[in-house]
Amino acid sequence: YVSVPLKWDLGASGENLILRMGYDETPVMEKIKYTKILCLYLTGIYIILILIASGLFSPLISRPIRDLPRKAREIAAGNYDGQFNVKNTSITEIVSLANDFETMRKELVRHNKELEYQSLHDALTSLPNRVLLQDRLHQAIFAAHRDDTQLALLMIDLDGFKTVNDTLGHQ
């Protein structure tokens, strides 16, 4: 309440009048209290929505990231068959990382095929070498035993091959 003295001359009585003005704060305090409760409810709803959204969207992020190390371990173990595919994600960084892994996988496959070819073929003539002959001979012997068939091996030797090779060259 605000009290304001009024100067009013009423003659001999000499009474001073006081104007008292008041404001009832109860409705305002109720509105402030209501606003506080509303803010708390909105904050709670916001937190719940964030938790729901993170629960829904986190698998979209974490599943592809968890698949990448698993596929990398498969490649490290020598399994080059699986392809790096990132499904159901539009996150460009994850897609880019998966594409880089796929490029590395393809390069490893190419290098391994090249090394295998070099280990099983003669560098000069590109003909199969002794290691490949022994491997194929063992396979043929096992197949003959399994199928109960006979197997024959024909060997040819060229006499003086070194002289021909030295005289005429490798080509």
Side-chain angles (χ1 to χ4, degrees):
Y1 293 101
V2 176
S3 297
V4 178
L6 293 177
K7 304 285 185 200
W8 191 284
D9 188 17
L10 291 176
S13 68
E15 289 184 34
N16 286 334
L17 296 174
I18 297 175
L19 176 63
R20 291 187 182 186
M21 294 185 291
Y23 180 74
D24 188 9
E25 296 174 349
T26 306
V28 173
M29 293 306 287
E30 287 176 1
K31 286 185 180 184
I32 290 173
K33 184 178 178 182
Y34 172 75
T35 305
K36 284 181 182 179
I37 291 172
L38 183 64
C39 286
L40 287 174
Y41 281 136
L42 288 176
T43 303
I45 291 171
Y46 182 71
I47 289 172
I48 290 170
L49 287 176
I50 287 175
L51 291 174
I52 290 171
S54 66
L56 291 175
F57 294 117
S58 67
L60 296 175
I61 297 170
S62 65
R63 188 176 305 122
I65 291 175
R66 281 181 290 169
D67 286 345
L68 291 177
R70 181 182 52 80
K71 293 298 275 181
R73 284 190 299 274
E74 287 178 11
I75 287 178
N79 181 10
Y80 303 111
D81 297 333
Q83 193 171 8
F84 278 99
N85 285 333
V86 179
K87 299 172 186 160
N88 301 331
T89 186
S90 60
I91 301 171
T92 56
E93 290 84 4
I94 294 174
V95 172
S96 175
L97 186 61
N99 289 340
D100 291 343
F101 272 117
E102 179 60 19
T103 302
M104 281 190 334
R105 184 193 68 81
K106 287 178 181 177
E107 284 296 310
L108 282 171
V109 168
R110 187 181 66 76
H111 284 294
N112 280 349
K113 285 182 181 179
E114 186 177 317
L115 287 172
E116 182 180 5
Y117 183 84
Q118 288 176 1
S119 70
L120 299 176
H121 293 81
D122 182 65
L124 183 62
T125 62
S126 294
L127 293 173
N129 64 13
R130 184 173 291 146
V131 175
L132 184 58
L133 171 68
Q134 289 173 342
D135 179 58
R136 298 296 158 83
L137 183 59
H138 285 296
Q139 289 179 16
I141 290 170
F142 288 134
H145 282 290
R146 184 184 62 233
D147 299 336
D148 198 26
T149 59
Q150 294 183 350
L151 174 69
L153 175 64
L154 176 65
M155 292 185 62
I156 299 174
D157 185 22
L158 298 176
D159 289 334
F161 181 73
K162 182 178 179 352
T163 308
V164 173
N165 198 14
D166 290 343
T167 308
L168 299 176
H170 297 295
Q171 287 75 14

